Amino acid sequence: MRRSTLYTLILVFLFSFSYAQKPKTPSSSRIYESVQKLNFLGSVMYVAAHPDDENTRLIAYMSNHVKARTAYLSLTRGDGGQNLIGPEIRELLGVIRTQELLAARRVDGGEQLFTRANDFGYSKHPDETLEIWNKDQVLSDVVLAIRKFKPDIIINRFDHRTPGTTHGHHTSSAMLSMEAFDLANDHSAYPTQLKNTELWKPQRLFFNTNWWFYGSREKFEEADKSNMISFDIGTYYPLKGLSNNELASLASSQHLCQGFGRLAQRGTEQEYVEFLKGAPLTDKENIFDGIDTSWNRVKGGKAIGDILLKIEDEFNFVNPSEHIPQLIEAYKRLQNIEDEHWKTQKTKELKAIIEMCAGLYLEASAETNWATQNETINLNIEVLNRSRSPITLVSLNNASDLNISKNIALKSNTKYNFKEVIKIKSGAQPTTPYWLSDKGTLGMYKVADKSLIGLPETPRTYTIDFNLLIENTPITFTKNIIQRYSKPDKGELYRPFEIIPEASARITEKVVIFENDKQRDITVVVKAGRNELEGHVEISHPNNWAIYPKRQKVFIKNKGEEQTLIFTVVPPKNQDEGYIHPIVHINGKNYTKELIEIGYEHIPFQTVLLPSESKIVRLDIQKKGENIAYIQGAGDVVPESLQQIGYQVRIVKPEEIDAETLSRFDALVVGIRAYNTIENLKFKQQLLFDFVAKGGNMIVQYNTSHRVTVNDLAPYDLKLSRDRVTDEHADVRFLNPEHPVLNYPNKITPKDFEGWTQERGLYFPNEWSDKFTPILSMNDKNETPKDGSLLVAKHGKGYYIYTGLSFFREFPAGVSGAYRLFANMLSIGKEDLKQEVRLND
């Protein structure tokens, strides 16, 4: 599930990392490029809807060629998509995609911003999108982003003039950007924002058009481009040893959970933007035409610019520290300018350049990667000056209890280590993504602290201030506390320092299915955030369910250890469902959250706290057939879900597929997007069809119509489309109500399609052989019926079934009808099956 790519390895060498990873080791060329950006006072904001919507070619070009401060405003965090690298979906997928966006920005040089909009899944029209999102709140967030970032130029990824032709989120992002362009400078628009920010008037708004929006390359070639600007985004950067489009490919390849790992691109390539509104352009070669991007832009800036431009012109690549006295002089002058926006931004950039030129290494490493309230933590602090400039470590302090005077002159290339201690405050809040702290709605995240809106991550509260004197000028560098450690098989590793609760608990199964009224045991795992944890655990549950024992003691001696408790759940006699919640009682405090850790090599380690709950479902379900082979695709929990209702499921790898292996199974299920992601399946396809012909059932779950790795997806003609039904409440009509798949062994009724989540299904076939029987018809509002969601074909003695229904979403949500229908699909043709064959352990 964890994967390391060539792109990741390249980035380890070329680029700096976030707080959770290896600190910067910048080269002279990197410092020089930072000086060039320091001398450009202009900014660009790119606006779209999701992670992976951003045009990394244009972001990289604006940041690295134009040298503009560049940000990507993604309205959502991509929570509604699929995950190609693991089982995380919804909120946890949004956490991963947030980090992948930040990884991409570390490559292309941009910054990352968000709104509170929740990616609720595919939307076909902006009217639906803006109703579910709460248009006013998202528009408010876009206005806030403009007022805080202060872009001169805004570039929309999508066309605001074409509602209904693409994803509703896409068009909505452009429509909101168009509105916000004017509102950001309007006193009457969201006036409460002006307590902490100020009005801003962007100069121009563009649409990042290309041939795709015109339908073909030929049509785009013929289009009137008099209102467009073009850029050669294939420009080569000798200081990087990379072209802009190579850099952009590396950035895009950070979106691994979406399968965006790609080959690097090189050579001349044109990118187009269409002028929409703002100050007209007179120079079509310069997107910043008429905007002063020099230091003359700010009052008192000329003197600063004279110093910094001289450094740029005479930069010493062999010994960048030579420039520290001039940089310090510019820093002192910068503190006196009146423009708070540019003073804040350029001070941040200038301090980073001074730090790099001096070869400063400043680190505060904790003995552990997490702690709880009132806990005392040992720190190892390392300070190193790798220049010959006079630098003194005056003191160390943090926001709580550390304030230590040092007054040590830092000798060149001499390492100084200090052992210090901090105590975590009694009211310290646990570290978790801020947008997940409170329960939101289908379309919006709830953020109580308005100052956090738009930030990509929760700011770290535990930091260390390194107070230095450089050239007799006081400068403070603030560093997040991290944990630096090593593993024999990994080498040096870094993790963020987190605050966690003293106790957390999880039920190991997020959905507990009862196929009858027999009691079942569930497992509760309690994790200690501190030593000597003692208390008891009980389970909150619906009144018509029973759980015993009512409470169990918990005692965990060591921090980080877990204790497993077994509770027995007794379901009601009839079909029913509800939720259970573990509650850990410690010294009069109740803990009800689960600590979730996400670890992938391409992003920093993530710690997430979410309410701990599991759905319990008493099903009225029958089934035939017992032994199921499962070929994993892009990642889902379908195998575990089938095991919950009594099937014996074995994961079969493509290389294990042969006639003898398949003969042991009653049915074969192919995971989502398996034919998009597993190249070797094309060599096994005939064996799978032969399995069906001999009496087996084969169920293929959805694949995208793009990048299918086999020529024949089914034993008969079958063509995938982009048809989908996004309304999870859409009416489901039975085309063949007498078909066995709707009647045996469970009678499927419209009630079985109640409670579905996010969508009915996606990428339905729209053409198929008459060998297939379409079972269901459904459609979104104002659309034609879609009949390809469930297709069944007899093939030899068995059945081939293709379904675009989103079982991979419904099973984790415990949707009863989804389980019953899937059981029928597995059972079709098995009326007389005797359960004689069993899987080997």
Side-chain angles (χ1 to χ4, degrees):
M1 172 183 315
R2 280 69 173 149
R3 65 172 68 166
S4 176
T5 66
L6 174 62
Y7 294 110
T8 305
L9 294 175
I10 293 172
L11 293 175
V12 169
F13 179 74
L14 289 175
F15 301 101
S16 63
F17 289 71
S18 76
Y19 58 80
Q21 295 173 296
K22 203 168 185 175
K24 296 177 181 178
T25 53
S27 65
S28 292
S29 60
R30 177 69 180 270
I31 301 172
Y32 176 70
E33 289 178 308
S34 297
V35 173
Q36 289 180 308
K37 291 198 72 169
L38 184 65
N39 284 325
F40 190 94
L41 279 70
S43 52
V44 177
M45 178 182 286
Y46 197 86
V47 181
H50 310 108
D52 85 359
D53 284 347
E54 81 272 29
N55 184 342
T56 55
R57 299 181 301 275
L58 199 49
I59 291 174
Y61 181 87
M62 290 295 166
S63 178
N64 295 278
H65 180 75
V66 178
K67 306 300 181 184
R69 183 187 179 205
T70 308
Y72 172 41
L73 174 61
S74 177
L75 269 59
T76 77
R77 297 175 186 266
D79 324 68
Q82 285 83 53
N83 184 357
L84 296 187
I85 62 174
E88 297 90 355
I89 58 174
R90 290 303 307 151
E91 293 91 347
L92 297 181
L93 179 59
V95 172
I96 293 173
R97 291 189 172 182
T98 294
Q99 291 301 319
E100 289 183 339
L101 276 172
L102 289 170
R105 298 295 79 78
R106 289 193 291 273
V107 177
D108 60 33
E111 300 175 37
Q112 187 60 52
L113 305 171
F114 292 97
T115 75
R116 289 170 290 174
N118 188 346
D119 178 5
F120 56 84
Y122 193 87
S123 175
K124 294 182 177 179
H125 199 280
D127 288 350
E128 176 198 40
T129 298
L130 295 173
E131 181 178 345
I132 295 175
W133 270 357
N134 186 327
K135 176 187 174 181
D136 187 65
Q137 288 185 15
V138 183
L139 179 58
S140 166
D141 291 356
V142 179
V143 170
L144 180 63
I146 294 172
R147 286 173 173 173
K148 292 174 71 174
F149 188 78
K150 296 185 172 12
D152 299 303
I153 306 296
I154 297 177
I155 303 175
N156 291 344
R157 182 67 176 115
F158 300 104
D159 191 347
H160 67 285
R161 298 161 294 196
T162 56
T165 61
T166 183
H167 198 319
H169 297 181
H170 292 169
T171 311
S172 295
S173 71
M175 294 168 64
L176 292 170
S177 177
M178 286 287 290
E179 279 194 68
F181 181 87
D182 297 315
L183 292 177
N185 198 43
D186 184 345
H187 280 94
S188 65
Y190 309 108
T192 57
Q193 293 180 1
L194 300 177
K195 296 177 182 178
N196 300 303
T197 185
E198 59 188 2
L199 298 176
W200 181 252
K201 183 179 180 180
Q203 293 301 299
R204 296 187 182 97
L205 177 64
F206 295 88
F207 161 45
N208 182 197
T209 189
N210 61 26
W211 68 266
W212 188 87
F213 293 99
Y214 283 76
S216 71
R217 296 183 186 275
E218 292 74 21
K219 290 181 180 179
F220 187 61
E221 288 296 323
E222 298 169 358
D224 177 10
K225 297 184 179 63
S226 60
N227 206 31
M228 298 182 191
I229 304 177
S230 67
F231 313 96
D232 179 4
I233 50 84
T235 184
Y236 180 67
Y237 304 128
L239 291 173
K240 298 180 185 294
L242 292 168
S243 62
N244 186 79
N245 37 18
E246 285 178 294
L247 196 67
S249 295
L250 289 168
S252 292
S253 291
Q254 299 312 296
H255 296 299
L256 294 183
C257 74
Q258 301 186 72
F260 264 53
R262 58 185 58 187
L263 290 172
Q265 302 296 314
R266 286 166 287 277
T268 295
E269 185 178 353
Q270 293 298 310
E271 192 73 47
Y272 292 86
V273 294
E274 176 190 351
F275 176 76
L276 296 179
K277 64 163 64 173
L281 278 163
T282 55
D283 180 2
K284 291 294 186 70
E285 301 297 317
N286 180 14
I287 198 170
F288 280 92
D289 175 42
I291 302 170
D292 190 349
T293 59
S294 74
W295 277 100
N296 294 327
R297 180 170 190 164
V298 297
K299 184 180 179 181
K302 183 180 184 304
I304 300 170
D306 289 344
I307 296 170
L308 296 176
L309 287 168
K310 190 171 188 296
I311 293 174
E312 182 179 343
D313 291 340
E314 300 175 1
F315 189 77
N316 188 334
F317 284 87
V318 176
N319 181 23
S321 65
E322 174 188 290
H323 303 295
I324 291 177
Q326 292 76 36
L327 290 167
I328 291 296
E329 178 62 26
Y331 173 82
K332 289 190 292 186
R333 290 177 179 269
L334 182 58
Q335 305 319 299
N336 295 321
I337 70 170
E338 297 175 3
D339 190 316
E340 287 297 326
H341 170 71
W342 285 115
K343 180 167 72 173
T344 300
Q345 178 58 31
K346 292 304 177 181
T347 295
K348 178 182 175 182
E349 294 178 29
L350 188 48
K351 284 174 62 176
I353 291 170
I354 293 169
E355 182 180 2
M356 290 188 287
C357 284
L360 283 173
Y361 188 90
L362 308 171
E363 180 183 89
S365 177
E367 62 184 347
T368 176
N369 69 300
W370 39 256
T372 59
Q373 295 179 3
N374 299 312
E375 186 174 358
T376 299
I377 298 297
N378 295 320
L379 297 180
N380 180 63
I381 294 178
E382 182 175 335
V383 181
L384 180 62
N385 167 25
R386 287 174 283 199
S387 74
R388 296 197 177 278
S389 292
I391 300 177
T392 299
L393 174 62
V394 178
S395 62
L396 301 167
N397 67 272
N398 68 358
S400 55
D401 61 337
L402 185 68
N403 192 356
I404 301 172
S405 177
K406 295 294 184 182
N407 292 314
I408 298 172
L410 302 177
K411 297 178 181 178
S412 178
N413 208 32
T414 299
K415 182 174 69 172
Y416 295 84
N417 283 103
F418 310 102
K419 301 294 183 182
E420 306 294 350
V421 175
I422 61 169
K423 185 175 182 180
I424 308 303
K425 293 180 179 180
S426 60
Q429 292 300 306
T431 309
T432 193
Y434 69 85
W435 61 94
L436 300 180
S437 294
D438 297 302
K439 188 174 179 60
T441 64
L442 173 64
M444 297 297 296
Y445 282 119
K446 181 179 178 182
V447 180
D449 184 349
K450 304 305 181 188
S451 69
L452 298 176
I453 294 174
L455 297 181
E457 301 176 283
T458 306
R460 297 283 151 175
T461 55
Y462 280 86
T463 60
I464 298 296
D465 290 339
F466 293 79
N467 303 305
L468 306 180
L469 270 181
I470 304 177
E471 300 284 340
N472 292 316
T473 300
I475 300 182
T476 296
F477 296 94
T478 301
K479 301 294 180 181
N480 294 311
I481 296 175
I482 49 87
Q483 183 198 21
R484 179 164 63 100
Y485 64 106
S486 66
K487 287 186 177 181
D489 60 336
K490 296 288 186 181
E492 188 176 62
L493 299 170
Y494 288 76
R495 276 193 178 184
F497 178 71
E498 315 275 19
I499 307 301
I500 65 170
E502 62 178 341
S504 57
R506 61 186 169 88
I507 300 172
T508 56
E509 295 172 317
K510 290 302 168 191
V511 177
V512 187
I513 303 295
F514 295 78
E515 58 177 317
N516 50 45
D517 61 359
K518 293 182 180 179
Q519 67 186 35
R520 279 189 58 183
D521 290 342
I522 61 168
T523 301
V524 177
V525 179
V526 180
K527 185 167 187 172
R530 62 169 175 82
N531 296 331
E532 306 292 333
L533 185 77
E534 186 172 7
H536 68 271
V537 179
E538 63 178 336
I539 307 292
S540 171
H541 59 86
N543 291 332
N544 55 336
W545 294 67
I547 295 182
Y548 64 89
K550 291 187 177 298
R551 63 171 57 185
Q552 294 193 53
K553 290 184 178 180
V554 61
F555 176 76
I556 305 175
K557 185 172 181 59
N558 298 312
K559 169 183 175 179
E561 290 184 350
E562 296 179 337
Q563 182 175 340
T564 298
L565 306 172
I566 305 298
F567 289 84
T568 300
V569 181
V570 182
K573 292 292 183 183
N574 300 316
Q575 184 160 312
D576 192 50
E577 60 185 51
Y579 289 90
I580 54 177
H581 311 262
I583 305 172
V584 185
H585 301 270
I586 308 290
N587 294 329
K589 295 182 179 180
N590 297 337
Y591 296 94
T592 60
K593 291 193 173 182
E594 172 182 0
L595 184 69
I596 302 166
E597 297 177 316
I598 302 174
Y600 291 97
E601 291 183 359
H602 68 300
I603 60 173
F605 194 87
Q606 298 295 299
T607 300
V608 184
L609 278 171
L610 291 177
S612 182
E613 67 176 15
S614 291
K615 189 174 185 179
I616 46 176
V617 181
R618 163 67 170 95
L619 269 182
D620 178 12
I621 190 170
Q622 303 293 322
K623 61 185 187 300
K624 285 287 186 178
E626 182 171 340
N627 300 319
I628 310 299
Y630 198 90
I631 300 173
Q632 289 184 311
D636 57 56
V637 294
V638 172
E640 296 87 339
S641 301
L642 295 178
Q643 288 170 338
Q644 285 249 19
I645 56 174
Y647 286 106
Q648 295 188 44
V649 183
R650 174 183 160 187
I651 305 297
V652 177
K653 298 178 181 179
E655 59 269 23
E656 297 176 326
I657 296 174
D658 56 37
E660 181 180 353
T661 298
L662 294 176
S663 68
R664 305 171 188 170
F665 301 100
D666 303 313
L668 165 75
V669 181
V670 182
I672 62 171
R673 297 184 67 174
Y675 289 109
N676 297 134
T677 58
I678 305 176
E679 187 77 21
N680 291 342
L681 265 186
K682 64 185 178 183
F683 302 118
K684 302 293 184 176
Q685 194 73 333
Q686 190 56 51
L687 284 169
L688 302 181
F689 295 160
D690 290 345
F691 164 75
V692 178
K694 293 175 182 177
N697 288 346
M698 180 177 177
I699 300 173
V700 177
Q701 298 176 86
Y702 99 93
N703 289 267
T704 66
S705 53
H706 181 54
R707 293 181 180 174
V708 176
T709 60
V710 293
N711 294 325
D712 298 313
L713 193 62
Y716 309 111
D717 290 341
L718 183 72
K719 182 179 179 180
L720 300 182
S721 73
R722 298 183 63 84
D723 288 349
R724 62 172 77 204
V725 175
T726 61
D727 181 0
E728 64 267 40
H729 306 295
D731 182 42
V732 178
R733 301 171 293 276
F734 294 177
L735 297 174
N736 287 274
E738 303 306 316
H739 195 281
V741 81
L742 294 176
N743 292 278
Y744 180 82
N746 304 289
K747 179 69 175 177
I748 303 300
T749 71
K751 186 175 178 60
D752 288 297
F753 291 93
E754 295 177 2
W756 284 53
T757 180
Q758 188 160 324
E759 62 204 357
R760 289 296 189 195
L762 60 171
Y763 292 99
F764 299 159
N766 62 350
E767 296 180 24
W768 52 83
S769 163
D770 58 10
K771 297 286 187 180
F772 283 102
T773 300
I775 305 299
L776 306 173
S777 180
M778 58 189 73
N779 56 272
D780 283 321
K781 185 179 179 181
N782 298 325
E783 290 194 354
T784 59
K786 305 295 184 288
D787 298 345
S789 65
L790 180 58
L791 302 173
V792 182
K794 190 82 163 64
H795 181 60
K797 297 179 180 179
Y799 288 85
Y800 176 97
I801 299 175
Y802 188 91
T803 180
L805 295 172
S806 57
F807 290 102
F808 72 102
R809 294 198 190 281
E810 311 318 318
F811 284 174
V815 177
S816 301
Y819 280 91
R820 285 163 46 83
L821 178 57
F822 209 93
N824 281 16
M825 291 157 57
L826 291 169
S827 301
I828 190 170
K830 308 296 185 185
E831 291 87 343
D832 300 322
L833 181 70
K834 295 181 180 180
Q835 305 293 346
E836 296 176 351
V837 180
R838 296 291 182 269
L839 292 179
N840 294 324
D841 293 334

PDB file of all heavy atoms in Angstrom, residues 117 124 175 265 348 353 403 445 462 522-523 580 633 668 765 797 802 814:
ATOM      1  N   ALA A 117     -15.392  24.279   1.528  1.00  0.00           N
ATOM      2  CA  ALA A 117     -16.255  23.410   0.733  1.00  0.00           C
ATOM      3  C   ALA A 117     -15.821  21.956   0.856  1.00  0.00           C
ATOM      4  O   ALA A 117     -14.632  21.637   0.794  1.00  0.00           O
ATOM      5  CB  ALA A 117     -16.232  23.839  -0.729  1.00  0.00           C
ATOM      6  N   LYS A 124     -23.322  17.279 -11.413  1.00  0.00           N
ATOM      7  CA  LYS A 124     -23.492  17.524 -12.848  1.00  0.00           C
ATOM      8  C   LYS A 124     -23.814  18.965 -13.198  1.00  0.00           C
ATOM      9  O   LYS A 124     -23.768  19.328 -14.369  1.00  0.00           O
ATOM     10  CB  LYS A 124     -24.583  16.596 -13.394  1.00  0.00           C
ATOM     11  CG  LYS A 124     -24.175  15.124 -13.341  1.00  0.00           C
ATOM     12  CD  LYS A 124     -25.244  14.227 -13.919  1.00  0.00           C
ATOM     13  CE  LYS A 124     -24.785  12.770 -13.918  1.00  0.00           C
ATOM     14  NZ  LYS A 124     -25.797  11.855 -14.443  1.00  0.00           N
ATOM     15  N   MET A 175     -17.260  30.356 -11.494  1.00  0.00           N
ATOM     16  CA  MET A 175     -18.333  31.318 -11.244  1.00  0.00           C
ATOM     17  C   MET A 175     -18.082  32.105  -9.951  1.00  0.00           C
ATOM     18  O   MET A 175     -18.270  33.329  -9.899  1.00  0.00           O
ATOM     19  CB  MET A 175     -19.672  30.580 -11.170  1.00  0.00           C
ATOM     20  CG  MET A 175     -20.100  29.958 -12.492  1.00  0.00           C
ATOM     21  SD  MET A 175     -21.498  28.803 -12.322  1.00  0.00           S
ATOM     22  CE  MET A 175     -22.793  29.893 -11.761  1.00  0.00           C
ATOM     23  N   GLN A 265       7.664  15.597 -19.066  1.00  0.00           N
ATOM     24  CA  GLN A 265       7.521  16.182 -20.394  1.00  0.00           C
ATOM     25  C   GLN A 265       8.617  17.217 -20.605  1.00  0.00           C
ATOM     26  O   GLN A 265       9.047  17.892 -19.660  1.00  0.00           O
ATOM     27  CB  GLN A 265       6.154  16.844 -20.541  1.00  0.00           C
ATOM     28  CG  GLN A 265       4.981  15.906 -20.299  1.00  0.00           C
ATOM     29  CD  GLN A 265       4.904  14.790 -21.321  1.00  0.00           C
ATOM     30  OE1 GLN A 265       5.024  15.037 -22.514  1.00  0.00           O
ATOM     31  NE2 GLN A 265       4.713  13.573 -20.844  1.00  0.00           N
ATOM     32  N   LYS A 348       9.498  37.465   5.500  1.00  0.00           N
ATOM     33  CA  LYS A 348       9.544  36.006   5.537  1.00  0.00           C
ATOM     34  C   LYS A 348      10.540  35.466   4.514  1.00  0.00           C
ATOM     35  O   LYS A 348      11.365  34.595   4.817  1.00  0.00           O
ATOM     36  CB  LYS A 348       8.137  35.458   5.270  1.00  0.00           C
ATOM     37  CG  LYS A 348       8.053  33.950   5.225  1.00  0.00           C
ATOM     38  CD  LYS A 348       6.613  33.522   4.902  1.00  0.00           C
ATOM     39  CE  LYS A 348       6.517  32.018   4.724  1.00  0.00           C
ATOM     40  NZ  LYS A 348       5.124  31.601   4.370  1.00  0.00           N
ATOM     41  N   ILE A 353      16.298  33.585   3.197  1.00  0.00           N
ATOM     42  CA  ILE A 353      17.525  33.720   2.413  1.00  0.00           C
ATOM     43  C   ILE A 353      18.730  33.920   3.337  1.00  0.00           C
ATOM     44  O   ILE A 353      19.800  33.332   3.139  1.00  0.00           O
ATOM     45  CB  ILE A 353      17.390  34.884   1.417  1.00  0.00           C
ATOM     46  CG1 ILE A 353      16.367  34.513   0.338  1.00  0.00           C
ATOM     47  CG2 ILE A 353      18.741  35.212   0.776  1.00  0.00           C
ATOM     48  CD1 ILE A 353      15.981  35.671  -0.569  1.00  0.00           C
ATOM     49  N   ASN A 403      12.155  29.610  28.315  1.00  0.00           N
ATOM     50  CA  ASN A 403      12.743  30.934  28.083  1.00  0.00           C
ATOM     51  C   ASN A 403      14.146  30.909  28.686  1.00  0.00           C
ATOM     52  O   ASN A 403      14.350  31.227  29.853  1.00  0.00           O
ATOM     53  CB  ASN A 403      11.894  32.021  28.719  1.00  0.00           C
ATOM     54  CG  ASN A 403      12.318  33.404  28.257  1.00  0.00           C
ATOM     55  OD1 ASN A 403      13.286  33.555  27.517  1.00  0.00           O
ATOM     56  ND2 ASN A 403      11.598  34.423  28.718  1.00  0.00           N
ATOM     57  N   TYR A 445     -17.500  22.027   5.514  1.00  0.00           N
ATOM     58  CA  TYR A 445     -16.835  21.770   6.777  1.00  0.00           C
ATOM     59  C   TYR A 445     -17.106  22.935   7.724  1.00  0.00           C
ATOM     60  O   TYR A 445     -17.226  24.092   7.300  1.00  0.00           O
ATOM     61  CB  TYR A 445     -15.333  21.595   6.581  1.00  0.00           C
ATOM     62  CG  TYR A 445     -14.979  20.231   6.049  1.00  0.00           C
ATOM     63  CD1 TYR A 445     -14.334  20.087   4.821  1.00  0.00           C
ATOM     64  CD2 TYR A 445     -15.297  19.088   6.764  1.00  0.00           C
ATOM     65  CE1 TYR A 445     -14.017  18.838   4.334  1.00  0.00           C
ATOM     66  CE2 TYR A 445     -14.985  17.833   6.279  1.00  0.00           C
ATOM     67  CZ  TYR A 445     -14.347  17.701   5.068  1.00  0.00           C
ATOM     68  OH  TYR A 445     -14.041  16.464   4.583  1.00  0.00           O
ATOM     69  N   TYR A 462       3.301  23.960  19.168  1.00  0.00           N
ATOM     70  CA  TYR A 462       4.542  23.761  19.900  1.00  0.00           C
ATOM     71  C   TYR A 462       5.724  23.979  18.969  1.00  0.00           C
ATOM     72  O   TYR A 462       6.018  23.165  18.096  1.00  0.00           O
ATOM     73  CB  TYR A 462       4.564  22.396  20.582  1.00  0.00           C
ATOM     74  CG  TYR A 462       3.769  22.463  21.867  1.00  0.00           C
ATOM     75  CD1 TYR A 462       2.393  22.271  21.861  1.00  0.00           C
ATOM     76  CD2 TYR A 462       4.380  22.822  23.063  1.00  0.00           C
ATOM     77  CE1 TYR A 462       1.650  22.401  23.019  1.00  0.00           C
ATOM     78  CE2 TYR A 462       3.644  22.958  24.235  1.00  0.00           C
ATOM     79  CZ  TYR A 462       2.279  22.747  24.207  1.00  0.00           C
ATOM     80  OH  TYR A 462       1.554  22.900  25.361  1.00  0.00           O
ATOM     81  N   ILE A 522     -17.344  -8.124  19.470  1.00  0.00           N
ATOM     82  CA  ILE A 522     -16.638  -7.021  18.816  1.00  0.00           C
ATOM     83  C   ILE A 522     -15.383  -6.702  19.625  1.00  0.00           C
ATOM     84  O   ILE A 522     -15.299  -7.007  20.821  1.00  0.00           O
ATOM     85  CB  ILE A 522     -17.508  -5.756  18.689  1.00  0.00           C
ATOM     86  CG1 ILE A 522     -17.923  -5.248  20.078  1.00  0.00           C
ATOM     87  CG2 ILE A 522     -18.720  -6.004  17.809  1.00  0.00           C
ATOM     88  CD1 ILE A 522     -18.519  -3.860  20.052  1.00  0.00           C
ATOM     89  N   THR A 523     -14.428  -6.111  18.966  1.00  0.00           N
ATOM     90  CA  THR A 523     -13.149  -5.806  19.603  1.00  0.00           C
ATOM     91  C   THR A 523     -12.986  -4.300  19.736  1.00  0.00           C
ATOM     92  O   THR A 523     -13.116  -3.562  18.764  1.00  0.00           O
ATOM     93  CB  THR A 523     -11.983  -6.371  18.774  1.00  0.00           C
ATOM     94  OG1 THR A 523     -12.146  -7.786  18.643  1.00  0.00           O
ATOM     95  CG2 THR A 523     -10.649  -6.076  19.432  1.00  0.00           C
ATOM     96  N   ILE A 580     -22.846   2.343  17.486  1.00  0.00           N
ATOM     97  CA  ILE A 580     -22.276   2.125  18.813  1.00  0.00           C
ATOM     98  C   ILE A 580     -21.015   2.978  18.941  1.00  0.00           C
ATOM     99  O   ILE A 580     -20.309   3.222  17.960  1.00  0.00           O
ATOM    100  CB  ILE A 580     -21.956   0.640  19.077  1.00  0.00           C
ATOM    101  CG1 ILE A 580     -21.062   0.052  17.963  1.00  0.00           C
ATOM    102  CG2 ILE A 580     -23.241  -0.163  19.191  1.00  0.00           C
ATOM    103  CD1 ILE A 580     -20.651  -1.402  18.225  1.00  0.00           C
ATOM    104  N   GLY A 633      -8.312  -4.235  -6.703  1.00  0.00           N
ATOM    105  CA  GLY A 633      -8.083  -3.186  -7.692  1.00  0.00           C
ATOM    106  C   GLY A 633      -7.437  -1.981  -7.066  1.00  0.00           C
ATOM    107  O   GLY A 633      -6.346  -2.059  -6.509  1.00  0.00           O
ATOM    108  N   LEU A 668     -16.054 -15.214  -8.304  1.00  0.00           N
ATOM    109  CA  LEU A 668     -14.875 -14.365  -8.396  1.00  0.00           C
ATOM    110  C   LEU A 668     -15.342 -12.913  -8.473  1.00  0.00           C
ATOM    111  O   LEU A 668     -16.224 -12.591  -9.269  1.00  0.00           O
ATOM    112  CB  LEU A 668     -14.078 -14.717  -9.650  1.00  0.00           C
ATOM    113  CG  LEU A 668     -13.010 -13.728 -10.111  1.00  0.00           C
ATOM    114  CD1 LEU A 668     -11.793 -13.812  -9.215  1.00  0.00           C
ATOM    115  CD2 LEU A 668     -12.614 -14.025 -11.554  1.00  0.00           C
ATOM    116  N   PRO A 765     -21.710   1.142 -18.381  1.00  0.00           N
ATOM    117  CA  PRO A 765     -21.692   0.861 -19.822  1.00  0.00           C
ATOM    118  C   PRO A 765     -22.898   1.527 -20.500  1.00  0.00           C
ATOM    119  O   PRO A 765     -23.959   1.678 -19.892  1.00  0.00           O
ATOM    120  CB  PRO A 765     -21.811  -0.668 -19.887  1.00  0.00           C
ATOM    121  CG  PRO A 765     -21.334  -1.153 -18.555  1.00  0.00           C
ATOM    122  CD  PRO A 765     -21.764  -0.097 -17.580  1.00  0.00           C
ATOM    123  N   LYS A 797     -21.963 -22.261 -18.185  1.00  0.00           N
ATOM    124  CA  LYS A 797     -22.740 -22.698 -17.019  1.00  0.00           C
ATOM    125  C   LYS A 797     -22.814 -21.627 -15.927  1.00  0.00           C
ATOM    126  O   LYS A 797     -23.520 -21.816 -14.934  1.00  0.00           O
ATOM    127  CB  LYS A 797     -22.118 -23.966 -16.434  1.00  0.00           C
ATOM    128  CG  LYS A 797     -22.127 -25.155 -17.384  1.00  0.00           C
ATOM    129  CD  LYS A 797     -21.467 -26.364 -16.729  1.00  0.00           C
ATOM    130  CE  LYS A 797     -21.456 -27.564 -17.658  1.00  0.00           C
ATOM    131  NZ  LYS A 797     -20.800 -28.745 -17.030  1.00  0.00           N
ATOM    132  N   TYR A 802     -21.505  -7.321 -14.770  1.00  0.00           N
ATOM    133  CA  TYR A 802     -20.781  -6.059 -14.691  1.00  0.00           C
ATOM    134  C   TYR A 802     -21.661  -5.050 -13.980  1.00  0.00           C
ATOM    135  O   TYR A 802     -22.841  -4.883 -14.314  1.00  0.00           O
ATOM    136  CB  TYR A 802     -20.408  -5.506 -16.076  1.00  0.00           C
ATOM    137  CG  TYR A 802     -19.496  -4.312 -15.960  1.00  0.00           C
ATOM    138  CD1 TYR A 802     -18.119  -4.481 -15.966  1.00  0.00           C
ATOM    139  CD2 TYR A 802     -20.006  -3.031 -15.775  1.00  0.00           C
ATOM    140  CE1 TYR A 802     -17.265  -3.407 -15.799  1.00  0.00           C
ATOM    141  CE2 TYR A 802     -19.162  -1.944 -15.607  1.00  0.00           C
ATOM    142  CZ  TYR A 802     -17.796  -2.131 -15.622  1.00  0.00           C
ATOM    143  OH  TYR A 802     -16.957  -1.069 -15.444  1.00  0.00           O
ATOM    144  N   GLY A 814     -22.456   0.570   5.585  1.00  0.00           N
ATOM    145  CA  GLY A 814     -23.401  -0.381   6.167  1.00  0.00           C
ATOM    146  C   GLY A 814     -24.778  -0.326   5.554  1.00  0.00           C
ATOM    147  O   GLY A 814     -25.786  -0.512   6.251  1.00  0.00           O
TER     148      GLY A 814
END
